[in-house]
């Protein structure tokens, strides 16, 4: 298979970077993301993982990918995929408004809603542990290959200046 690339952007800040899909390590996740592109939504900066920005979006894969190419210690430039139920994200500590998209989409096979977290890690020393849930492994499905420095600078600005009105988007390059 030929290498595939996507653009990851913070549109309001006018910053983008290029990521290579890791088809050899996470083929099911890469196929699901690629087939669903473009994807994106309101951006958030992580509270627990440290140097992470992410968008929470409704499920898009015909079936949720298995935990392939997992990590709990993402490195700068990793793109990760997480699946959460709405009950995992419904505690007041997360700060999501009650009517937000983050409440998830009802899964056809279960009596709980599901939400997908597409994340970009921009600096070192990340650890995917959550005070409420413990270890939260993610699927590493992409790696930034160009523009990480500018994106990291924009992520730091997002942390300091706020995320309101900003979106994190994933598109085919």
């Amino acid at each position: 298979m030929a290498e595939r690339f996507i653009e990851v952007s913070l549109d309001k800040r006018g910053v983008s970077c290029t990521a290579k899909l890791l088809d050899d390590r996470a083929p099911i996740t890469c196929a699901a993301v690629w087939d669903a592109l473009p994807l994106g939504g309101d951006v958030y900066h992580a509270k627990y993982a440290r140097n992470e920005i992410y968008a929470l979006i409704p499920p898009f894969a015909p079936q949720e990918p298995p935990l392939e190419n997992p990590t709990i210690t993402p490195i700068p430039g990793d793109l990760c995929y997480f699946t959460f139920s709405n009950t995992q994200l419904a505690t007041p500590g997360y700060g999501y408004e009650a009517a937000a998209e983050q409440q998830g989409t009802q899964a056809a096979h279960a009596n709980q809603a599901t939400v997908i977290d597409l994340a970009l890690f921009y600096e070192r020393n990340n650890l995917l542990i959550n005070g409420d849930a413990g270890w939260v492994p993610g699927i590493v499905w992409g790696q930034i290959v160009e523009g990480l420095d500018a994106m990291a600078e924009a992520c730091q600005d997002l942390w300091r200046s706020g995320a309101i009105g900003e979106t994190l988007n994933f598109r085919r390059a």
Side-chain angles (χ1 to χ4, degrees), residues 76-165:
D78 277 352
L79 298 180
C80 289
Y81 181 110
F82 303 89
T83 303
F84 295 108
S85 72
N86 64 335
T87 58
Q88 289 173 290
L89 300 180
T91 63
Y94 292 107
Y96 302 127
E97 53 278 1
E101 214 174 85
Q102 293 77 4
Q103 295 304 309
T105 302
Q106 198 68 14
H109 61 283
N111 192 20
Q112 65 182 8
T114 302
V115 66
I116 304 306
D117 172 333
L118 293 181
L120 180 155
F121 290 84
Y122 63 89
E123 187 50 81
R124 298 172 40 136
N125 299 320
N126 303 295
L127 185 60
L128 300 180
I129 189 165
N130 177 293
D132 298 328
W135 298 110
V136 183
I139 300 168
V140 181
W141 59 274
Q143 180 66 46
I144 304 298
V145 293
E146 183 180 313
L148 181 58
D149 289 345
M151 181 59 78
E153 187 176 316
C155 292
Q156 282 294 326
D157 180 63
L158 185 93
W159 173 250
R160 300 279 297 147
S161 301
I164 293 180

Side-chain angles (χ1 to χ4, degrees), residues 32-91:
V33 171
W34 184 260
D35 291 346
L37 292 174
L39 294 165
D42 291 343
V43 68
Y44 295 89
H45 198 288
K47 287 184 173 183
Y48 295 107
R50 198 174 282 196
N51 301 301
E52 171 194 4
I53 61 169
Y54 61 96
L56 298 173
I57 58 178
F60 52 83
Q63 183 175 4
E64 281 307 304
L67 190 58
E68 55 184 359
N69 199 30
T71 190
I72 57 166
T73 56
I75 62 172
D78 277 352
L79 298 180
C80 289
Y81 181 110
F82 303 89
T83 303
F84 295 108
S85 72
N86 64 335
T87 58
Q88 289 173 290
L89 300 180
T91 63

